[in-house]
C-alpha cells in the first residue's frame, strides 16, 4: 500500500495510490496520515478499502511529506563504506547518529531553498524508515515489526556549515526544505526487503549516485535497535539510514548545488523526486 498526503503546505490531506498508480483522496475516511494513523489496525483497515471507488486527485495536485506530525528525524551518518571513504573518514565501528530539524521537511517536488550565505549545498539520496510503534530498547530481532513503512528521502546538507563552523553536524542539516520526503509512504508488505533497494540521484540529468541498500554497514534492524537504546522512537518518527557514494563533497573537484539546479532521485518501489533549487 502506498499512502500520500496532498494539498497546500500545512493543509495536506490523506490520500492513497491505487494498484494502477492513480492517486486518490481518502480524507473523508481519515483525518490525516500521522502518528495516530500508523498503528497496524488502521493500516490494515486502509488496505482493505477498494481504492478505485475513491475520488481521483486532479492532475498536478501537490504532494507533501507523506507523514504528518513527525516528532523527530534521526539520521545515520557514514552508513556506506564507499561514502565514508569519499568523505575521507574511516567506516564507523558503531552507527553515527545526528538529527535534522522537523522544520526542514518538505514535499517530494517542492523547491529547495539555497539559504543566504550557503556555499556548499549537497545532496544525499536515502532510504527513510517510518516508525509505527513505540521503540524503547527493542531487540534487533524485533525491530522490523515496529516499522509502519518506508519513504524516499534527500538529506540535503550545507557542508561548510556542517563541517567548517565548529560544533556538531546539525547546523548544516536543518535548513528549511533540507528534508524532501516522499512521494509515498510504502508499507512493509508492499516494499519487501529494505536491503534489496537500488538508490540513485541525478543533478541536471547527470547520474551521480547509484547505490544499493545491500551495502549498508548497519542494516535497518540494527539501526533501529541501536537508536532505541539511546532514545525512545515514537510512532511517526523518521529514521534516515544514510547515503551511498556520489555526493557533491566526494566529486573531484567537489561540486555543489546552485540556484537553478535540478535534482532527480529515486529508489526501488519508493517513487521519484524532482527538486529545483531556488534562492532562499
Amino acid at each position: 500500500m502506498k499512502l500520500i498526503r496532498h494539498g497546500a503546505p500545512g493543509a495536506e490531506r490523506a490520500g492513497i495510490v491505487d494498484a494502477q498508480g492513480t492517486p486518490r483522496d481518502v480524507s473523508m475516511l481519515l483525518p490525516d496520515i500521522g502518528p495516530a494513523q500508523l498503528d497496524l489496525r488502521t493500516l490494515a483497515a486502509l488496505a482493505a478499502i477498494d481504492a478505485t471507488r475513491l475520488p481521483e486527485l486532479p492532475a498536478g495536485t501537490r504532494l507533501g511529506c507523506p507523514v504528518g506530525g513527525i516528532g523527530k528525524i534521526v539520521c545515520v551518518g557514514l552508513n556506506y563504506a564507499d561514502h565514508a571513504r569519499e568523505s575521507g573518514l574511516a567506516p564507523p565501528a558503531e552507527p553515527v547518529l545526528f538529527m535534522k530539524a522537523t522544520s526542514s521537511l518538505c514535499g517530494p517536488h517542492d523547491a529547495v531553498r539555497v539559504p543566504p550565505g550557503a556555499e556548499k549545498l549537497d545532496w544525499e539520496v536515502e532510504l527513510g524508515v517510518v516508525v509505527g510503534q513505540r521503540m524503547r530498547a527493542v531487540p534487533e530481532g524485533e525491530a522490523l515489526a515496529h516499522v509502519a513503512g518506508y519513504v524516499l528521502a534527500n538529506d540535503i546538507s550545507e557542508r561548510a556549515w556542517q563541517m567548517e563552523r565548529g560544533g556538531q553536524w546539525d547546523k548544516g542539516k536543518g535548513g528549511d526544505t533540507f528534508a524532501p520526503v516522499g512521494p509515498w509512504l510504502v508499507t512493509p508488505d508492499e516494499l519487501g526487503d529494505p536491503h534489496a533497494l537500488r538508490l540513485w540521484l541525478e543533478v541536471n540529468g547527470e547520474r551521480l549516485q547509484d547505490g544499493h541498500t545491500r551495502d549498508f554497514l548497519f542494516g535497518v534492524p540494527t539501526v533501529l535497535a541501536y537508536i532505541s537504546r539511546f532514545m525512545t522512537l515514537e510512532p511517526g518518527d523518521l529514521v534516515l539510514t544514510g547515503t551511498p557514494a556520489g555526493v557533491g563533497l566526494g566529486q573531484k573537484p567537489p561540486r555543489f548545488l546552485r540556484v537553478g539546479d535540478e535534482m532527480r532521485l529515486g529508489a526501488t518501489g519508493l517513487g521519484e523526486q524532482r527538486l529545483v533549487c531556488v534562492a532562499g
Side-chain angles (χ1 to χ4, degrees):
M1 181 170 59
K2 298 182 178 76
L3 300 175
I4 58 175
R5 295 173 69 246
H6 60 92
E12 291 92 346
R13 294 178 294 173
I16 194 168
V17 179
D18 69 21
Q20 290 70 46
T22 302
R24 297 178 179 273
D25 181 33
V26 74
S27 62
M28 73 293 295
L29 303 174
L30 204 66
D32 199 357
I33 297 168
Q37 289 79 41
L38 296 177
D39 64 278
L40 295 177
R41 183 175 179 178
T42 300
L43 292 177
L46 278 172
I49 293 172
D50 180 2
T52 61
R53 302 179 64 126
L54 298 171
E56 290 187 30
L57 297 182
T61 297
R62 174 188 175 270
L63 297 182
C65 174
V67 181
I70 291 174
K72 56 183 173 288
I73 307 171
V74 187
C75 307
V76 183
L78 307 175
N79 200 22
Y80 293 77
D82 56 3
H83 175 54
R85 285 194 297 269
E86 73 175 353
S87 302
L89 300 168
E94 296 186 32
V96 174
L97 304 182
F98 63 92
M99 311 287 281
K100 286 179 80 79
T102 55
S103 55
S104 67
L105 289 162
C106 66
H109 310 301
D110 289 345
V112 170
R113 300 180 192 172
V114 181
E119 299 177 351
K120 298 182 179 180
L121 199 66
D122 207 345
W123 55 84
E124 294 189 9
V125 61
E126 305 203 9
L127 168 67
V129 183
V130 178
V131 176
Q133 300 179 53
R134 176 176 289 176
M135 300 186 68
R136 182 176 182 270
V138 170
E140 187 172 320
E142 300 174 13
L144 290 183
H146 294 73
V147 173
Y150 300 91
V151 293
L152 174 67
N154 190 350
D155 175 19
I156 294 172
S157 311
E158 211 300 339
R159 300 298 189 191
W161 298 353
Q162 175 190 352
M163 305 172 77
E164 301 171 19
R165 299 289 297 271
Q168 300 185 4
W169 288 1
D170 296 25
K171 68 180 70 172
K173 295 285 190 172
D176 292 350
T177 73
F178 278 23
V181 175
W184 316 309
L185 170 69
V186 183
T187 51
D189 59 305
E190 177 156 337
L191 185 71
D193 184 1
H195 308 98
L197 310 179
R198 182 186 176 201
L199 303 95
W200 55 271
L201 182 143
E202 299 174 352
V203 178
N204 299 330
E206 180 182 357
R207 183 68 56 97
L208 296 173
Q209 288 189 279
D210 198 348
H212 201 284
T213 57
R214 64 173 171 245
D215 297 323
F216 279 143
L217 291 174
F218 307 101
V220 174
T222 301
V223 162
L224 293 176
Y226 183 85
I227 295 170
S228 78
R229 290 168 51 192
F230 300 99
M231 67 189 81
T232 299
L233 291 170
E234 299 284 359
D237 284 351
L238 174 62
V239 175
L240 302 187
T241 58
T243 197
V247 301
L249 183 67
Q251 304 297 311
K252 301 189 184 305
R255 172 178 172 181
F256 299 109
L257 295 166
R258 299 288 181 260
V259 171
D261 285 346
E262 181 184 69
M263 290 173 281
R264 180 171 167 255
L265 57 147
T268 306
L270 294 175
E272 297 186 10
Q273 297 183 4
R274 286 182 179 269
L275 304 156
V276 176
C277 296
V278 301

